[in-house]
Amino acid sequence: MHPLFAYLGAVALIPIFTGVWRNRMVLAAALFGLFVVHSLPEGLTATASFLGHELTLFRVDALSRMFGYIFCLNSVFAFLFAYKLVDVRQQLAALCYIGSAVGAVFAGDLITLYVFWEVMAVASTFLILARKTTLSSGAGFRYVLVHLFGGLCMLAGIIVHVQATGSIALTSLAPNLGGWLILAGVLINVSAFPFARWLSESYPEATVTGGVILSAYTTKTAVYVLLRSFPGWEVLIVVGCVMAVYGIIYAILENDMRRILAFSITNQAGFMVVGAGIGTALSINGAAAHAFCSILYTSLLWMSAGAVLAATGKSKCTELGGLHKAMPLTLLLGFIGALTISSFPGTAGFTSKTMILQAAANEHLLWVLLVLEVASAGVFLHAGLKYPFFVFFSKDSGLRPPEAPRHMLLSMGGLAFLCLLIGVYPQPLYAMLPFDPAGFDAYKAGKLVGHMQLLLFSAAAFFVMLPLLRNTDTVTLDADWFYRRGGSLFYRAVSAVFNGLNEVSAKAAGGFVHGFAEFCRKIPERVLLVVTSLNPDSFGSGRANSALRLKQIRESLDAAALPVGGSLVAVTLGLAVLLALVL
């Protein structure tokens, strides 16, 4: 059975349940989806025919099963966190979004992947719009535009790839036009620079529940496709390094706690993209393991920030501070997430990120190793220290909200437990990896000493630079300024060109119609002038000059004082001329 049906079934049952029973049903559906993934045997497939192609709707192997596992596991904690949610639209959007993400990672062909890819984009947009603010409406609109553009890139790439190869299989792709177009669509979803801003702009504007759920699926589904179809594409090493550094710089500048965490998603995805670009068995293992652990600690951090937002209604660090007195458990659990994202030894982040670093070292990619080490120090600086310090300590804001509700604490507690469990006992995680990690040990003395030195240096730098890191409301310039500004200029240019053409065309058509109407209006008098010139004595002016006779004819026409016979002749001749012109 496809685990997608657990979420689709919940969508179908939502109208039947109300209140707390609806929340229980949604949570039960997530648990059932996790059970289904757990029971899936590797090698299972389901196919169907479509337009002469064999669709692989369902494919279970080690990589898809690992991502399906963490997607469903995270949905359990997310729906537990949202146990008191009463907005049925958010529940519907979340179920469709998570279900389509699960469908995407179990897709065995490009067409099936594309369908789920687009459903994800649409469903996730409603989690942003559900907040019903001006900022969320604008962010949601830009979010869906960016993702539809990425989807079009992917669709164009699929069409080109199928035309060139005749295959729709979701497997390693060749670096041809089709492959590059598909890669462009995937990189947009993984928030690669210069298309990274959509993430930090939209996720913080989502609802509390929406932010938690959004943080886990879109970028990780894109990482899955990179590992599946683009292993060893060296350009990804550069892209990933830029993402890792980009996330740090903007997170340090940011004042909003959820934007800080949003930039950390891009930063962490950069490590996974580097792992895909290196393309060895160890790096693929490292990227997959880091995606798994990243979902755990990213959700945990977004839950802690969401609990603070739900309790205080505030998100800016400058408006928070001193919350350790009122929300100590939220602080403790959030701090475990902060340590895990910083790859502190004893946490899940350390057991997965060191695998990517070891893969870079094994391939003698020293500059890559240096960039990733610097990025690791930067993560500890902004997510490990800055976020908990300015939200829970620093200047006391005087806010004394109640501690997070029990269901939120239970959800955060479960994720924190897994972050620590995998940190000290990573063997269950390693057993799920697509390749045998035999011989890898994260806890070698050299790695521990080197990493602890890096973290201590980062901590020292944080407290030395603390006066400079105190946040203020800032406006940061990003690469999106160019395409936003460029888009505006393009719109104005296109508007000017086409509206100008419309105006010129309207004037030309109007002039032609007016001239033609004037010509037709004068036909009778011109005809009568010709007719009367044959026998000038038959008209009142006799042999008067033609100008005078024309004036008299015009006056007679205006006064309807022409002889009937002459008028009929004039009208007949005028119609004949008009028909001749038309025909």
Side-chain angles (χ1 to χ4, degrees):
M1 176 180 175
H2 199 308
L4 163 68
F5 291 117
Y7 300 93
L8 292 182
V11 169
L13 291 175
I14 270 189
I16 301 175
F17 291 88
T18 59
V20 68
W21 287 104
R22 187 172 63 222
N23 293 330
R24 289 173 181 170
M25 183 272 294
V26 170
L27 182 59
L31 283 167
F32 182 63
L34 179 62
F35 169 76
V36 172
V37 172
H38 180 72
S39 60
L40 288 175
E42 290 190 17
L44 184 65
T45 60
T47 60
S49 294
F50 177 73
L51 297 178
H53 293 285
E54 188 79 1
L55 300 181
T56 306
L57 303 173
F58 188 39
R59 174 183 59 188
V60 183
D61 60 12
L63 187 61
S64 61
R65 192 165 179 267
M66 185 174 186
F67 276 80
Y69 219 122
I70 188 58
F71 281 7
C72 293
L73 178 63
N74 187 70
S75 71
V76 173
F77 288 108
F79 286 126
L80 176 60
F81 181 80
Y83 188 69
K84 298 292 185 182
L85 184 66
V86 295
D87 187 352
V88 68
R89 291 167 300 180
Q90 289 190 59
Q91 290 173 324
L92 281 171
L95 288 167
C96 293
Y97 177 47
I98 297 172
S100 55
V102 171
V105 298
F106 283 110
D109 64 85
L110 292 167
I111 295 175
T112 305
L113 171 70
Y114 174 75
V115 171
F116 286 120
W117 194 269
E118 291 298 279
V119 176
M120 280 178 63
V122 175
S124 56
T125 304
F126 287 98
L127 292 173
I128 302 168
L129 299 176
R131 198 173 179 186
K132 298 179 182 176
T133 64
T134 304
L135 289 176
S136 66
S137 297
F141 179 69
R142 289 186 288 275
Y143 172 89
V144 75
L145 285 182
V146 169
H147 284 277
L148 290 179
F149 173 71
L152 287 175
C153 290
M154 173 178 278
L155 178 60
I158 292 172
I159 293 171
V160 172
H161 173 77
V162 173
Q163 286 289 332
T165 66
S167 171
I168 61 169
L170 179 58
T171 183
S172 296
L173 298 178
N176 50 30
L177 177 60
W180 284 110
L181 285 170
I182 295 172
L183 178 62
V186 177
L187 288 179
I188 288 174
N189 268 30
V190 84
S191 77
F193 183 84
F195 297 102
R197 193 67 178 189
W198 64 263
L199 194 156
S200 59
E201 184 187 44
S202 58
Y203 285 8
E205 300 304 330
T207 61
V208 169
T209 301
V212 170
I213 294 174
L214 286 168
S215 67
Y217 295 98
T218 297
T219 53
K220 305 312 178 294
T221 304
V223 168
Y224 166 80
V225 177
L226 291 177
L227 297 178
R228 172 72 69 186
S229 299
F230 302 95
W233 283 45
E234 293 184 356
V235 67
L236 293 178
I237 298 175
V238 178
V239 172
C241 287
V242 173
M243 289 172 64
V245 175
Y246 164 88
I248 294 172
I249 294 173
Y250 281 92
I252 290 174
L253 296 173
E254 188 54 59
N255 182 36
D256 187 293
M257 63 175 177
R258 295 212 301 175
R259 289 187 189 277
I260 293 173
L261 299 180
F263 283 116
S264 72
I265 293 176
T266 299
N267 162 271
Q268 294 299 294
F271 284 85
M272 303 165 210
V273 174
V274 169
I278 294 173
T280 62
L282 183 59
S283 72
I284 298 297
N285 275 347
H290 202 50
F292 190 101
C293 297
S294 173
I295 289 176
L296 296 178
Y297 59 71
T298 301
S299 291
L300 176 55
L301 286 168
W302 276 82
M303 285 180 185
S304 66
V308 170
L309 177 62
T312 66
K314 299 182 184 302
S315 186
K316 292 183 178 179
C317 294
T318 46
E319 298 174 350
L320 297 168
L323 294 181
H324 67 283
K325 299 174 183 175
M327 306 180 73
L329 294 177
T330 303
L331 162 65
L332 174 63
L333 297 172
F335 192 62
I336 292 174
L339 291 177
T340 309
I341 196 174
S342 306
S343 305
F344 204 84
T347 66
F350 182 77
T351 58
S352 59
K353 188 182 292 182
T354 50
M355 206 176 285
I356 299 174
L357 299 177
Q358 184 64 52
N362 290 351
E363 298 303 308
H364 307 291
L365 299 170
L366 296 182
W367 70 271
V368 175
L369 188 60
L370 179 62
V371 170
L372 296 184
E373 292 284 12
V374 171
S376 296
V379 173
F380 187 49
L381 189 69
H382 77 259
L385 294 173
K386 179 181 175 180
Y387 162 67
F389 180 81
F390 285 106
V391 173
F392 294 99
F393 297 100
S394 188
K395 181 183 65 176
D396 191 348
S397 62
L399 296 172
R400 294 294 181 268
E403 180 57 278
R406 186 180 301 174
H407 60 93
M408 290 187 179
L409 292 175
L410 279 175
S411 179
M412 289 189 280
L415 289 171
F417 172 75
L418 289 176
C419 286
L420 297 176
L421 176 65
I422 296 174
V424 297
Y425 183 59
Q427 281 70 25
L429 173 67
Y430 292 168
M432 288 191 287
L433 295 174
F435 301 101
D436 184 5
F440 176 77
D441 183 7
Y443 286 99
K444 286 185 177 178
K447 293 176 185 173
L448 275 172
V449 172
H451 200 70
M452 286 304 296
Q453 288 177 336
L454 196 68
L455 294 178
L456 289 174
F457 171 77
S458 182
F462 174 79
F463 288 105
V464 169
M465 297 189 299
L466 190 56
L468 300 176
L469 292 173
R470 291 192 184 281
N471 295 290
T472 57
D473 284 332
T474 55
V475 177
T476 54
L477 180 64
D478 203 337
D480 70 321
W481 182 87
F482 294 99
Y483 54 81
R484 279 197 194 190
R485 189 65 177 167
S488 176
L489 292 174
F490 177 75
Y491 171 79
R492 292 180 187 178
V494 169
S495 174
V497 169
F498 286 99
N499 285 332
L501 287 175
N502 283 340
E503 188 175 349
V504 170
S505 301
K507 287 183 178 179
F512 173 77
V513 171
H514 178 74
F516 185 71
E518 189 67 15
F519 171 77
C520 293
R521 189 182 68 79
K522 292 181 178 179
I523 287 177
E525 62 188 40
R526 295 291 181 184
V527 172
L528 286 173
L529 180 65
V530 173
V531 172
T532 55
S533 65
L534 300 176
N535 185 14
D537 295 334
S538 63
F539 205 70
S541 59
R543 294 184 177 274
N545 60 47
S546 58
L548 179 58
R549 194 166 63 253
L550 181 61
K551 181 181 177 183
Q552 292 173 337
I553 292 173
R554 189 174 296 150
E555 290 173 348
S556 300
L557 284 172
D558 292 340
L562 279 175
V564 174
S567 299
L568 287 174
V569 172
V571 170
T572 304
L573 290 174
L575 289 175
V577 172
L578 183 61
L579 287 173
L581 289 173
V582 173
L583 299 175

